[in-house]
Amino acid sequence: MSFRIRALLLVGLGSGIGFSASAQSSGRGTSFGVLAGATFSGISGDDAQAANLKTRTSFALGGFAQIGLSRNFAIEPQLLYLRKGAKASDADVTLAARLGYLEVPVLGTVRFPAATAGGVTPFFQLGPAIAFKLDCKVVVSSNSTTITQKCEDLDPDPILIKSTDLSLLFGAGVDVGHAKIAARYELGLSKLDDSGGNSDAKNHSIVILAGWTFRSPR
């Protein structure tokens, strides 16, 4: 290899490294990752209070893309499968409403970047989400007996739930290297009832997520 070719390769390599470091330090670029965690969901409204509904615990899993616009700000669209709902108990009988959704949040993320690579980076998030109902089931448990039925098949009073649900999300978290931990509150904006009645029931949830970020190729 001639001296000139070797010099050109070294210059090109140095330029690539410099560009990558500059992109990382500026916070710009796109990264992808996976998320999993727990949901603590309830249903608000006068009807829910009258029924004495309580929080139901379930799970969430999915992925995200983080689009860095500056060192301190990013847009983070997510795609999650999660379960919401509520439960009620009376003597030895427990009744749970289980709502499965495919949720698409789009979150604005304000970051406080660490001074060194691999450091701790706190962040705050705020944004809307639209969720598409995949299923609705009612689970009745008594002693060792459990009965599960679709909401719309209940007789004589079927439960009709809207196919979409709008929420406002706000929360905070921390990135530690490639690892991510976040917690947020999801405030339901849409009424759940699709029967044409006057029910004011809405979803609300606390979601705690852990994730891992895979950097995009440079």
Side-chain angles (χ1 to χ4, degrees):
M1 181 183 297
S2 69
F3 174 79
R4 178 172 294 181
I5 294 175
R6 191 178 309 169
L8 289 173
L9 288 174
L10 289 174
V11 170
L13 179 60
S15 299
I17 294 174
F19 176 79
S20 176
S22 175
Q24 290 179 1
S25 63
S26 70
R28 293 189 297 269
T30 303
S31 56
F32 302 88
V34 293
L35 294 166
T39 62
F40 304 90
S41 303
I43 296 176
S44 63
D46 294 338
D47 294 338
Q49 291 180 2
N52 195 26
L53 296 181
K54 296 180 172 58
T55 300
R56 181 177 181 274
T57 302
S58 194
F59 68 92
L61 55 89
F64 68 92
Q66 189 169 86
I67 305 166
L69 302 180
S70 71
R71 181 172 172 81
N72 293 97
F73 186 74
I75 300 295
E76 186 173 310
Q78 300 178 350
L79 181 65
L80 299 171
Y81 173 75
L82 73 171
R83 286 182 176 174
K84 299 183 179 183
K87 66 180 181 180
S89 298
D90 184 12
D92 60 346
V93 177
T94 299
L95 184 149
R98 188 179 74 191
L99 304 174
Y101 287 100
L102 184 66
E103 185 174 81
V104 185
V106 180
L107 303 174
T109 302
V110 178
R111 304 180 297 196
F112 300 90
T116 59
V120 176
T121 305
F123 59 83
F124 295 97
Q125 293 184 310
L126 173 68
I130 182 169
F132 302 93
K133 186 191 71 176
L134 300 180
D135 62 76
C136 175
K137 294 181 180 179
V138 173
V139 181
V140 181
S141 302
S142 177
N143 298 324
S144 60
T145 302
T146 299
I147 300 174
T148 302
Q149 195 166 4
K150 292 183 179 180
C151 296
E152 60 271 22
D153 291 341
L154 292 176
D155 187 21
D157 298 312
I159 299 175
L160 302 179
I161 301 295
K162 289 183 178 178
S163 59
T164 58
D165 188 46
L166 298 177
S167 301
L168 178 64
L169 283 53
F170 47 93
V174 63
D175 289 325
V176 184
H178 288 268
K180 176 191 296 288
I181 300 174
R184 68 187 184 218
Y185 180 71
E186 301 197 359
L187 175 65
L189 302 177
S190 301
K191 294 181 180 179
L192 295 174
D193 182 42
D194 199 31
S195 67
N198 296 320
S199 174
D200 60 350
K202 298 178 182 178
N203 281 316
H204 65 89
S205 303
I206 293 174
V207 181
I208 298 177
L209 296 167
W212 188 264
T213 301
F214 304 97
R215 305 298 177 188
S216 61
R218 300 288 181 183

